[in-house]
Amino acid sequence: MKRTIKDIDVAGKKILLRLDFNVPMNTKTGNITDLTRVLESLPTITYLSEHKAKIIICSHLGRPNGIRDERYSLAPVAQALAKLIKCKVSFANDTIGEDAKAKISAMEDGEVVVIENLRFDSREEQNDPEFAKSLASLADIYVNDAFGTCHRKHASTYGVAKLLPNAIGFLINKELKVISRILSNPDRPLVAVLGGAKIKDKIPVIENLLDKADTILIGGGMAYTFIKALGGEVGNSLVDEEKLSLAKEYIEKSKNSRAEIVLPIDNICNLDIDSSEKPKKFVSTKIDPNYMGLDIGPKTVKLFKSYIKRAGTVVWNGPMGVFENPLYAKGTNKIAKYVAKSKGFSFVGGGDSASAVVKSGYSKKIDHLSTGGGASLMLLEGKSLPGVDIIEDIEEQK
Ligand code: AMP
């Protein structure tokens, strides 16, 4: 069990709090379009403030590639945070520089200073020891509550944790508990719905779930590699040729494992992603050589629904089609609806599936909408997260 902020005395201490303030912004207006990540961080910030800690919040935002770029400044996020909590929030326009040091030394117990985007310094993503040391010198204690970046070994998620007494916050604790329950003791049947394009990202998840889940429904671009591996004709659909034999192996394995793998039976197809032709429906194993599968078809939706409806637990990661285009979003939206309406416990990984759920208007009905796409996938693969591993275990404290 990892040490949490409840296990440490934070009063009067300077806490370097790593959060995931990587919020989506409208690049034209500079406005934040979704505050979920800030809202999810509030319980930890509020707890620390009420317990009289001095809170130094650090985060990354976007991909400024180690260069100062005002479009990725955390200033608007600090402003948004100030409106959401009672305590005073200041903003420092650097990370380990003079402004940060001055604002931190001027802060009172229970107050917050948000320092500038960590990725304005290339040393952050390189997990540079000197940068980690400078970050550590700002505080007495390190707390990580940035679940979305826990799968990365960066200076602020890994290097700095080695240099200070440390703990996790409430958000990471909640995410770990939920995924651990799904993998160890789920309400059954456990139904996993996997989609998206990058089969290499999902293969380790399938491998781990073969003995844990009862059903694995595969949709999205990655389904065609499986369909082709079984001898189906998939036309110009996305296929990862290098993974064909592995896909076949998993289907064979599934015959002797707990989980049944279920593939699409019909698809919505077109000549290419941008074609202005009317989409056509094909049986999944007989797609016209000139067409590519871009969404699951209505029969597949119905088939997948029948499993999701009966699920005691449903885990979803990855869209069922090219959902960015409304022509091919139907399958993903329908699955979002059925996952949300499922009587079982519903878990949706971050990234595309989370935004599809939000877009479909069903996000409030999801039991757990994870804040980390990559991090939750890594846990579903059965691996641990570097940013969590580095935090001390509570037993080791005794
Ligand atoms: P991933 O990052 O692997 O979860 O993939 C997400 C992406 O998969 C989205 O941008 C979708 O547009 C894309 N995608 C889903 N289904 C298909 C498909 N049938 N063909 C091509 N791309 C797809």
Side-chain angles (χ1 to χ4, degrees):
M1 219 170 104
K2 291 293 165 187
R3 187 159 56 175
T4 78
I5 46 176
K6 281 200 167 162
D7 303 312
I8 46 174
D9 180 13
V10 298
K13 304 266 173 51
K14 283 181 281 180
I15 310 282
L16 182 70
L17 175 61
R18 178 50 158 111
L19 294 177
D20 182 3
F21 273 0
N22 185 28
V23 293
M25 311 266 270
N26 180 323
T27 43
K28 283 188 193 128
T29 62
N31 291 335
I32 300 166
T33 53
D34 182 1
L35 270 173
T36 308
R37 285 181 167 156
V38 179
L39 296 170
E40 291 282 356
S41 304
L42 291 181
T44 291
I45 304 171
T46 308
Y47 175 91
L48 291 173
S49 174
E50 284 174 0
H51 287 77
K52 304 282 176 244
K54 295 182 172 80
I55 309 151
I56 306 155
I57 294 177
C58 61
S59 175
H60 74 284
L61 175 63
R63 294 202 168 100
N65 297 323
I67 295 162
R68 187 172 186 102
D69 180 337
E70 294 310 322
R71 287 174 303 170
Y72 300 107
S73 172
L74 278 170
V77 191
Q79 273 173 21
L81 174 66
K83 289 185 190 144
L84 293 166
I85 53 173
K86 288 193 200 123
C87 65
K88 184 180 163 194
V89 177
S90 316
F91 177 71
N93 63 19
D94 54 23
T95 50
I96 50 171
E98 291 312 313
D99 196 35
K101 285 177 188 154
K103 298 260 164 60
I104 291 165
S105 71
M107 80 201 291
E108 303 277 338
D109 290 352
E111 291 182 1
V112 171
V113 170
V114 179
I115 62 173
E116 188 50 289
N117 190 344
L118 293 159
R119 291 194 189 166
F120 282 179
D121 195 315
S122 59
R123 294 175 297 174
E124 156 66 358
E125 289 182 83
Q126 292 157 2
N127 189 20
D128 178 87
E130 284 306 313
F131 188 61
K133 219 162 142 186
S134 302
L135 283 172
S137 73
L138 300 175
D140 306 307
I141 297 171
Y142 169 77
V143 172
N144 191 354
D145 210 20
F147 180 70
T149 42
C150 271
H151 56 311
R152 310 227 184 263
K153 269 189 181 177
H154 293 169
S156 69
T157 58
Y158 196 78
V160 70
K162 292 197 239 176
L163 306 173
L164 290 172
N166 55 40
I168 53 171
F170 296 133
L171 177 60
I172 289 188
N173 200 34
K174 185 171 81 175
E175 298 264 14
L176 293 177
K177 274 194 176 152
V178 166
I179 299 183
S180 153
R181 166 91 200 271
I182 288 171
L183 293 178
S184 61
N185 186 25
D187 290 331
R188 293 199 177 269
L190 169 58
V191 176
V193 190
L194 300 176
K198 288 182 236 88
I199 192 164
K200 71 168 179 18
D201 289 355
K202 311 280 162 49
I203 281 268
V205 178
I206 297 174
E207 181 166 23
N208 190 40
L209 292 183
L210 274 179
D211 286 318
K212 295 191 169 69
D214 297 285
T215 310
I216 304 176
L217 307 172
I218 299 182
M222 66 182 222
Y224 304 99
T225 302
F226 285 87
I227 296 167
K228 186 169 177 183
L230 287 177
E233 292 162 20
V234 297
N236 282 330
S237 304
L238 194 73
V239 168
D240 188 336
E241 298 287 340
E242 282 176 17
K243 295 282 183 288
L244 279 172
S245 58
L246 205 58
K248 201 167 177 187
E249 191 187 311
Y250 283 121
I251 292 166
E252 283 305 315
K253 262 193 189 169
S254 75
K255 291 177 186 159
N256 297 313
S257 54
R258 174 168 202 141
E260 171 194 14
I261 292 182
V262 180
L263 297 172
I265 48 176
D266 64 343
N267 289 92
I268 305 298
C269 308
N270 214 326
L271 295 168
D272 61 66
I273 289 185
D274 303 313
S275 173
S276 52
E277 296 287 312
K278 205 167 163 231
K280 265 187 168 177
K281 209 164 41 191
F282 288 99
V283 169
S284 301
T285 50
K286 286 203 166 53
I287 296 176
D288 182 285
N290 296 316
Y291 278 74
M292 64 192 302
L294 295 167
D295 194 8
I296 52 172
K299 285 187 182 149
T300 306
V301 168
K302 220 169 150 191
L303 175 70
F304 284 11
K305 179 187 175 186
S306 68
Y307 285 97
I308 295 167
K309 225 177 143 184
R310 293 199 300 265
T313 306
V314 53
V315 174
W316 179 27
N317 192 301
M320 295 291 104
V322 182
F323 77 113
E324 296 90 340
N325 182 339
L327 283 176
Y328 314 115
K330 228 183 220 167
T332 301
N333 289 340
K334 287 254 165 83
I335 294 301
K337 179 170 146 187
Y338 301 139
V339 171
K341 285 191 159 184
S342 143
K343 287 195 189 75
F345 181 83
S346 52
F347 172 94
V348 177
D352 286 333
S353 15
S355 52
V357 164
V358 171
K359 242 167 124 183
S360 70
Y362 287 101
S363 59
K364 293 256 172 340
K365 294 210 156 143
I366 300 291
D367 292 305
H368 188 87
L369 192 56
S370 177
T371 52
S376 66
L377 265 187
M378 203 159 169
L379 290 174
L380 290 173
E381 283 172 26
K383 293 192 188 131
S384 58
L385 304 170
V388 173
D389 285 343
I390 197 76
I391 302 295
E392 285 158 68
D393 284 302
I394 202 166
E395 286 83 359
E396 286 165 18
Q397 287 301 297
K398 284 177 188 167

